[in-house]
Amino acid sequence: MIANKLKALWAAGRPAINGWCSIGNPFTAEIMAAQGFDSVTIDMQHGALDYSNLLPMFQAMRASGAVLMARVPWNEPGIVMKALDAGAYGIICPMVNTAEDAARFVSYLRYPPLGQRSFGPTRVSFAAGANYAGEANDNILGFAMIETAEALANLDAIAATPGLDGLYIGPADLTLSLTAGRLAPGFDREEPEMIAAIQKILVACKANGLRAGLHCGTPDYAVRAIGWGFDLTTVGGDARFLAAAAGAVVTRFRDLTNGEAKIEKGAY
């Protein structure tokens, strides 16, 4: 089996930058993967896509060499196993609130005797190389999302779950939950209470030998998080990049023409 490059990166003491795909299109996924991200995650939870998009997007990104992952819609065995069979080397699972939730999630990732994953690696047996069945348990990464007040209250128990590889912070949902809606959702938190919560999760990761992931809005915040000790940071995503680049072009055009571009007669 082709080894998981994220594990080698972390073993060398280097952090990973993760790309994020929310647009259900193989071409946009291929463009994202070609930019040099260490890993790329397809968002099946909030992204505008489903499994029928996931598979061709994985195929389009294969040549990039990036580690391909998926955020599944929920902690449900069917979609976790199908995403793995399609070629995911890592799964990010939302709304893991208890140790029992985490244990169930881990069981969906691993073949027996370590879990209850059903055997049927339809595409990944071709994409991942020989001996997938014998090596998948050691190469697949499972990240449980910590994004609620309940999860934070159960943090130590979740982090101690055998077979879990990491915790991934969803700062938008975590902010909504911890502040009961007092603070607006979003990335790159600056409030002392939210930074304290983020760093508490990081400490739990380090204490249990887990990898720590954080969803960020800017490279600057991601580098700051790496300085705290995070192993993987996501910076933006395809939809945000497209909107930002297109918006910047239009804004610059309006600025240069004062919003009143005119065509002179005889110009053509």
Side-chain angles (χ1 to χ4, degrees):
M1 178 181 177
I2 299 170
N4 191 322
K5 294 179 182 178
L6 285 182
K7 290 197 168 190
L9 195 69
W10 292 329
R14 296 168 56 196
I17 181 171
N18 177 56
W20 199 260
C21 291
S22 298
I23 301 171
N25 184 276
F27 186 32
T28 56
E30 185 177 27
I31 293 170
M32 283 287 291
Q35 303 314 307
F37 290 101
D38 297 307
S39 58
V40 179
T41 299
I42 296 177
D43 184 7
M44 300 178 73
Q45 184 189 21
H46 293 302
L49 56 95
D50 58 18
Y51 177 82
S52 64
N53 305 113
L54 174 83
L55 181 55
M57 289 169 73
F58 274 170
Q59 291 172 310
M61 293 191 288
R62 181 183 180 186
S64 71
V67 176
L68 305 183
M69 305 199 296
R71 176 167 74 170
V72 293
W74 210 250
N75 190 7
E76 186 273 319
I79 193 59
V80 170
M81 295 182 196
K82 281 186 73 69
L84 292 172
D85 289 344
Y89 264 61
I91 299 290
I92 299 173
C93 184
M95 296 293 179
V96 175
N97 292 319
T98 66
E100 291 76 18
D101 289 343
R104 284 195 300 273
F105 169 52
V106 169
S107 77
Y108 307 151
L109 298 171
R110 315 292 181 202
Y111 290 126
L114 301 181
Q116 58 174 316
R117 181 182 173 189
S118 177
F119 185 76
T122 308
R123 173 184 177 263
V124 74
S125 60
F126 298 97
N131 196 29
Y132 180 80
E135 300 177 37
N137 282 351
D138 293 328
N139 275 284
I140 298 304
L141 294 168
F143 282 87
M145 291 196 73
I146 303 296
E147 48 187 345
T148 67
E150 182 183 5
L152 199 63
N154 294 318
L155 177 61
D156 291 338
I158 292 171
T161 302
L164 190 64
D165 296 291
L167 301 180
Y168 187 93
I169 301 173
D173 273 314
L174 186 62
T175 300
L176 276 176
S177 184
L178 287 183
T179 70
R182 174 171 49 84
L183 295 176
F187 307 139
D188 298 1
R189 308 310 305 193
E190 293 293 351
E191 305 86 358
E193 63 192 295
M194 293 311 304
I195 291 178
I198 289 169
Q199 293 188 341
K200 180 178 180 179
I201 296 167
L202 175 63
V203 168
C205 285
K206 300 302 181 183
N208 288 275
L210 302 180
R211 298 298 175 179
L214 178 65
H215 210 102
C216 303
T218 63
D220 304 78
Y221 199 93
V223 170
R224 184 177 169 191
I226 294 300
W228 290 338
F230 278 86
D231 303 286
L232 178 143
T233 53
T234 299
V235 182
D238 54 0
R240 287 175 176 267
F241 295 153
L242 177 60
V249 168
V250 173
T251 297
R252 179 61 175 161
F253 178 85
R254 301 298 186 205
D255 289 343
L256 293 173
T257 61
N258 294 317
E260 298 179 358
K262 296 179 181 180
I263 300 176
E264 295 184 5
K265 291 182 179 180
Y268 294 98

